[in-house]
């Protein structure tokens, strides 16, 4: 069963996810990032290139021919065939249809009221289905 970790009140979801991916890659894990839409996907792609001048995180969109060989996959289409099922990072406000295929999922929730409300709804969704949940509140100091 998928382990679900909520990280809430995150001031910058994209930067936070970049750092989380860097940590996962240090542990040699493969990651899929589920994004809200093409604009957020584009913004996150740019963030992966610029968040650190010392780190390179190889990544492609799920439809890319090199997706199976690339450790980080970006997707905003729930119907896409995904090559990895270790870690899923959800940056959207929706519950990913395919989350149960993954060993572990991180739900990243910002300080925005709409995002917080959507995050609470997703938390209840997983909780009522018996998923193991953990919750971390970002330290914004």
């Amino acid at each position: 069963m998928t382990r679900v970790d909520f990280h809430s009140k995150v001031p910058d979801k994209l930067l936070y996810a970049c750092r989380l991916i860097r940590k996962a890659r240090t542990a040699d894990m493969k990651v899929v990032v589920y994004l809200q839409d093409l604009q957020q996907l584009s913004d996150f792609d740019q963030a992966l290139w610029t968040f650190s001048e010392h780190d390179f995180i190889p990544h492609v969109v799920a439809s890319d021919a090199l997706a199976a060989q690339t450790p980080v996959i970006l997707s905003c289409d729930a119907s896409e065939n995904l090559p990895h099922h270790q870690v899923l990072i959800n940056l959207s406000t929706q519950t990913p249809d395919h989350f149960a295929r993954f060993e572990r999922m991180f739900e990243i929730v910002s300080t925005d009221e709409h995002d917080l409300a959507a995050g609470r709804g997703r938390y209840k969704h997983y909780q009522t289905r018996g998923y193991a949940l953990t919750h971390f509140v970002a330290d914004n100091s």
Side-chain angles (χ1 to χ4, degrees):
M1 183 173 268
T2 305
R3 176 180 161 186
V4 182
D5 296 319
F6 271 81
H7 293 239
S8 65
K9 298 196 177 179
V10 173
D12 184 336
K13 286 173 65 164
L14 301 186
L15 179 59
Y16 194 90
C18 287
R19 291 177 179 155
L20 189 60
I21 290 169
R22 177 174 56 194
K23 188 175 181 180
R25 289 299 308 138
T26 300
D28 202 32
M29 301 192 87
K30 293 182 178 176
V31 178
V32 172
V33 183
Y34 186 65
L35 299 127
Q36 187 72 30
D37 52 33
L38 289 173
Q39 182 60 55
Q40 190 185 40
L41 188 147
S42 176
D43 293 346
F44 190 65
D45 175 51
Q46 185 64 34
L48 284 171
W49 284 107
T50 60
F51 88 99
S52 170
E53 61 184 55
H54 303 291
D55 297 295
F56 170 68
I57 297 178
H59 63 282
V60 297
V61 295
S63 60
D64 192 283
L66 295 175
Q69 294 90 5
T70 307
V72 178
I73 305 299
L74 310 181
S75 175
C76 61
D77 181 354
S79 66
E80 284 185 303
N81 187 22
L82 301 169
H84 311 312
H85 296 100
Q86 277 187 303
V87 174
L88 174 64
I89 297 175
N90 185 21
L91 296 179
S92 80
T93 58
Q94 306 298 314
T95 301
D97 293 336
H98 49 19
F99 80 90
R101 298 179 197 156
F102 289 83
E103 295 171 23
R104 190 168 184 186
M105 178 170 65
F106 292 90
E107 284 276 1
I108 311 300
V109 182
S110 74
T111 57
D112 173 77
E113 284 303 318
H114 173 71
D115 200 34
L116 282 168
R120 286 184 199 104
R122 292 192 310 277
Y123 191 93
K124 288 177 186 175
H125 172 83
Y126 304 127
Q127 188 177 47
T128 59
R129 286 159 180 77
Y131 285 89
L133 300 171
T134 57
H135 181 224
F136 304 94
V137 177
D139 179 14
N140 296 324
S141 56

